[in-house]
Amino acid sequence: MRDAQTLVLGVGEDCSKPTLIIQAKTALSIKARAKGYSNRREQLKKNEAMLFIFRPPQLVSFWMKETHIPLQIGFFSSDGKLHEKYQMTVEEDPQNPIRRYESREKISMALEVAPGELNRVSRNSQLCVEKR
């Protein structure tokens, strides 16, 4: 796997019937993870996302530096289970963000989506790579 690779992901109670189907660009390198959606001004489409991958699993902290669109983030464990989700609002001064969105436990993946998209799934929902 590499940065900016597009994956089709499903999120739901089980992989056979996902509630959400999302096309996500991958962010594996430190540089790609740091950039994220910085400087983007166009709202995300409902099926658009970025998947941040952490190897090995770790505690993570996200912020909205230079991010001009609201997002929602979900933190997933190495077994693909959703543990936490947060609405991420645009900062008053995007150059100097104040809020941090931190995982409470070590995670392997973070998924940034359009605001409210992860409200359609519950905690412990499964993140799966769709076979297409």
Side-chain angles (χ1 to χ4, degrees), residues 13-118:
E13 296 307 314
D14 71 52
C15 293
S16 64
K17 295 180 186 175
T19 304
L20 299 175
I21 296 179
I22 299 168
Q23 290 188 11
K25 296 273 188 205
T26 56
L28 285 90
S29 69
I30 292 170
K31 182 178 178 181
R33 292 192 314 240
K35 182 175 187 319
Y37 282 122
S38 294
N39 295 312
R40 181 176 172 144
R41 295 185 185 273
E42 179 186 329
Q43 299 293 325
L44 292 183
K45 297 174 186 146
K46 293 217 180 279
N47 69 337
E48 185 177 9
M50 187 169 293
L51 181 66
F52 299 82
I53 300 170
F54 301 94
R55 293 185 188 132
Q58 55 197 267
L59 294 171
V60 300
S61 179
F62 280 71
W63 60 357
M64 295 285 283
K65 185 171 176 87
E66 298 173 353
T67 306
H68 303 278
I69 57 172
L71 299 167
Q72 188 174 30
I73 193 165
F75 295 138
F76 293 83
S77 59
S78 57
D79 64 358
K81 297 280 186 187
L82 175 62
H83 285 262
E84 302 165 65
K85 53 187 173 181
Y86 299 100
Q87 296 294 334
M88 301 170 75
T89 57
V90 176
E91 295 275 351
E92 187 174 315
D93 179 4
Q95 295 291 77
N96 299 294
I98 297 169
R99 289 183 292 282
R100 299 284 190 271
Y101 305 90
E102 299 176 341
S103 64
R104 289 185 218 131
E105 53 194 83
K106 291 182 180 181
I107 61 134
S108 292
M109 296 167 285
L111 184 67
E112 285 184 342
V113 297
E117 283 300 291
L118 291 175

